[in-house]
């Protein structure tokens, strides 16, 4: 691995890319809140909103006036239950914007009632805050029942919250409930922090990633609780400097980088740090996944550290033969290069005998994969716990996987 430098609060940009996230996050949050001093307040009830009714027009009217107001604007949804249709909350605005949701917003129950594949979209905004202790309820149960229908489903399933091209912003103290598809999608954004953010959906909810990130930089997810039926957090192409700290992830597919290599000209993924997280009752733990046979790409500088696994299947995975629904050519290797990846201080329990599986490409073998202080106990009855490295016919010297210090997989 490349030599690391030490970053401190006084020396936040030391050139190694692994800056002190707490220092940078604190600075950004303070700057956003400073910009909100004495905001103009636009309460949706002043625009005709009433609890128990549809407030789509009222919210859009309040947002339009708040966005156009000099200085910062705060749009408030008071406590109560409100029905909300598809809305686009668009900038750029004249100043910082604050969407304070204290109540519960409820989406249309049927996917056919949505005009596109998102419910609430926030786009082209700088210094945005979303907070208030409220919730976005996607009413996804009906949609999950038709998630298996493939081409027969012509209506795209909507995402609860989209953040497109949002910069220097904060999402805190709000909850996404039962989204029909992804709970949150982040695209083209920079310096966006999610803190004390919650996702709630049952384990049978399909394709309901908690937070999906793509083509974005400086995304922070901290002190959050994500329970859903798919990836708690999924990191797609073009993601850089993503920091995930102190997150509890349950019931779905764990925390994933990928899938990568499905589309042509995908942008590299780099600078991914997952630390001090707990993953429980999931089908996977921490994972990097790439498609075989299709297109090239790069995934590098990815680090998982201080992770607790509780009753997790497949706790550690690199899967370069990722092929859901058998929609690929398994006879050809992945073209995505994976390098500089570490799994350090990973402990807990595995409910599958293979607690660690590294499956690498033969055409571009993995490089500099480090497993350190891994201690996982198999709690089932099918023999002893084990690790498995599949080289896909690569020469031993091409695949560099280092296991050192107490690397153990055990039977309980």
């Amino acid at each position: 691995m490349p030599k690391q430098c030490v970053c401190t609060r006084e020396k936040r940009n030391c050139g190694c890319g692994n800056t002190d996230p707490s220092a940078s996050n604190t600075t950004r949050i303070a700057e956003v809140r400073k910009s909100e001093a004495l905001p103009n307040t636009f309460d949706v009830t002043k625009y005709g909103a009433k609890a128990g009714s549809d407030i789509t027009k009222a919210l859009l009217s309040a947002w339009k006036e708040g966005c156009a107001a000099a200085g910062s604007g705060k749009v408030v949804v008071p406590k109560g239950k409100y029905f909300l249709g598809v809305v686009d909350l668009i900038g750029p605005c004249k100043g910082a914007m604050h969407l304070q949701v204290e109540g519960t917003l409820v989406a249309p129950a049927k996917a056919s009632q949505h005009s596109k594949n998102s419910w609430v979209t926030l786009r082209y905004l700088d210094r945005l805050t979303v907070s208030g202790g409220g919730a976005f309820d996607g009413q996804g149960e009906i949609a999950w029942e038709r998630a298996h229908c493939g081409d027969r489903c012509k209506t795209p399933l909507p995402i609860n919250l989209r953040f497109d091209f949002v910069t220097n912003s904060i999402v805190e103290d709000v909850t996404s409930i039962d989204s029909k598809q992804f709970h949150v999608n982040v695209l083209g954004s920079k310096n966006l922090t999610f803190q004390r953010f919650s996702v709630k959906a049952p384990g049978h909810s399909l394709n309901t990633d908690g937070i999906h990130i793509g083509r974005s930089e400086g995304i922070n997810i901290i002190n959050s609780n994500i329970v859903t039926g798919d990836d708690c957090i999924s990191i797609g192409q073009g993601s850089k400097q993503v920091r995930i700290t102190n997150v509890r992830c349950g019931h779905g597919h764990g925390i994933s980088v990928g899938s990568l290599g499905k589309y042509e000209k995908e942008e590299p993924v780099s600078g991914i740090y997952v630390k001090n997280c707990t993953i429980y009752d999931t089908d996977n733990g921490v994972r990097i996944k790439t498609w075989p046979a299709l297109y090239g790409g790069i995934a590098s500088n990815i680090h998982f550290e201080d992770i607790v696994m509780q009753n997790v299947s497949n706790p550690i995975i690199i899967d370069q033969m990722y092929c859901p629904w058998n929609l690929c050519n398994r006879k050809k290797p992945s073209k995505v290069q994976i390098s500089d990846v570490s799994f350090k201080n990973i402990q807990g329990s595995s409910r599958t005998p293979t607690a660690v599986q590294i499956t690498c490409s033969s055409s571009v073998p993995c490089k500099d994969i480090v497993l350190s202080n891994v201690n996982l106990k198999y709690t089932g009855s099918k023999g002893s716990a084990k690790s498995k490295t599949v080289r896909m016919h690569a020469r031993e010297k091409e695949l560099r996987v280092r296991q050192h210090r107490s690397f153990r997989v055990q039977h309980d």
Side-chain angles (χ1 to χ4, degrees):
M1 292 181 65
K3 185 177 179 181
Q4 294 183 345
C5 61
V6 177
C7 300
T8 65
R9 290 180 181 270
E10 291 74 23
K11 189 181 180 183
R12 296 187 184 116
N13 187 5
C14 62
C16 66
N18 188 11
T19 56
D20 179 353
S22 62
S24 58
N25 288 346
T26 302
T27 300
R28 290 170 187 154
I29 291 169
E31 289 172 350
V32 172
R33 286 178 174 158
K34 183 179 179 181
S35 70
E36 292 179 352
L38 299 175
N40 301 294
T41 299
F42 301 86
D43 189 318
V44 294
T45 60
K46 305 299 183 184
Y47 297 82
K50 295 180 180 179
S53 65
D54 188 312
I55 67 165
T56 305
K57 291 182 179 179
L59 178 60
L60 289 172
S61 296
W63 180 270
K64 182 177 180 180
E65 291 198 18
C67 185
S72 60
K74 178 188 288 187
V75 175
V76 178
V77 180
K79 291 182 178 180
K81 183 177 181 180
Y82 306 88
F83 296 95
L84 180 68
V86 175
V87 293
D88 291 346
L89 305 179
I90 307 298
C93 298
K94 285 192 174 181
M97 285 296 292
H98 186 168
L99 177 60
Q100 184 167 309
V101 178
E102 300 171 2
T104 297
L105 299 174
V106 181
K110 297 180 180 179
S112 59
Q113 295 174 279
H114 292 258
S115 57
K116 58 179 184 177
N117 66 344
S118 60
W119 174 30
V120 178
T121 299
L122 297 115
R123 181 178 293 142
Y124 304 128
L125 294 163
D126 183 54
R127 295 173 295 153
L128 168 71
T129 297
V130 179
S131 68
F136 297 82
D137 185 350
Q139 295 206 92
E141 192 73 39
I142 295 175
W144 304 332
E145 294 175 358
R146 58 174 279 272
H148 289 297
C149 64
D151 291 338
R152 292 185 291 109
C153 300
K154 300 299 183 181
T155 305
L157 295 177
I159 295 164
N160 261 12
L161 291 163
R162 289 191 67 101
F163 295 87
D164 295 344
F165 312 104
V166 174
T167 57
N168 305 311
S169 297
I170 307 161
V171 181
E172 61 183 358
D173 300 315
V174 292
T175 300
S176 175
I177 301 172
D178 291 349
S179 182
K180 295 177 179 65
Q181 202 200 134
F182 294 175
H183 287 263
V184 172
N185 191 86
V186 178
L187 175 67
S189 297
K190 187 173 183 179
N191 298 338
L192 173 60
T193 293
F194 294 83
Q195 66 177 1
R196 299 186 301 277
F197 181 76
S198 296
V199 169
K200 295 180 180 179
H204 67 268
S205 59
L206 299 175
N207 201 31
T208 54
D209 292 17
I211 300 176
H212 177 75
I213 303 166
R215 298 204 299 273
S216 297
E217 181 176 357
I219 308 302
N220 305 289
I221 305 170
I222 57 178
N223 302 327
S224 295
N225 188 31
I226 301 174
V227 180
T228 190
D230 211 295
D231 294 339
C232 289
I233 300 168
S234 55
I235 300 167
Q237 59 123 335
S239 299
K240 300 177 182 178
Q241 300 304 316
V242 176
R243 290 177 170 83
I244 301 164
T245 307
N246 195 26
V247 169
R248 284 184 58 82
C249 162
H251 298 315
H253 298 167
I255 297 174
S256 296
V257 176
S259 59
L260 304 175
K262 187 177 182 180
Y263 302 104
E264 193 173 5
K265 296 180 180 179
E266 289 185 356
E267 298 176 22
V269 173
S270 65
I272 312 300
Y273 304 90
V274 182
K275 189 171 183 178
N276 293 330
C277 294
T278 298
I279 301 176
Y280 62 95
D281 299 335
T282 56
D283 290 340
N284 301 291
V286 290
R287 175 171 57 157
I288 302 173
K289 51 184 178 177
T290 73
W291 289 76
L294 298 175
Y295 300 101
I298 296 173
S300 63
N301 192 19
I302 300 170
H303 306 285
F304 304 95
E305 185 174 355
D306 299 328
I307 311 295
V308 175
M309 305 284 182
Q310 298 175 346
N311 193 38
V312 171
S313 299
N314 311 305
I316 296 175
I317 306 178
I318 294 179
D319 183 6
Q320 293 211 259
M321 291 293 290
Y322 178 73
C323 186
W325 317 294
N326 291 316
L327 298 176
C328 65
N329 182 357
R330 290 180 178 272
K331 295 182 179 180
K332 293 185 178 181
S334 175
K335 299 176 183 179
V336 177
Q337 173 72 75
I338 296 176
S339 64
D340 187 15
V341 177
S342 65
F343 303 91
K344 296 183 178 180
N345 304 327
I346 314 292
Q347 61 180 321
S349 58
S350 171
R351 61 189 183 202
T352 51
T354 302
V356 178
Q357 178 155 333
I358 310 295
T359 302
C360 291
S361 170
S362 61
S363 64
V364 281
C366 303
K367 296 179 180 178
D368 297 318
I369 311 299
V370 175
L371 296 161
S372 176
N373 289 335
V374 174
N375 188 356
L376 295 165
K377 294 181 178 180
Y378 171 48
T379 57
S381 59
K382 297 180 180 180
S384 300
K386 59 186 178 181
S387 63
K388 184 177 181 181
T389 301
V390 181
R391 294 175 175 81
M392 301 302 298
H393 310 297
R395 289 176 294 174
E396 176 76 24
K397 67 179 181 180
E398 291 179 318
L399 175 66
R400 297 198 287 272
V401 178
R402 288 182 283 148
Q403 301 175 5
H404 59 99
R405 299 187 187 167
S406 59
F407 175 81
R408 294 182 293 173
V409 286
Q410 308 175 36
H411 189 279
D412 194 10

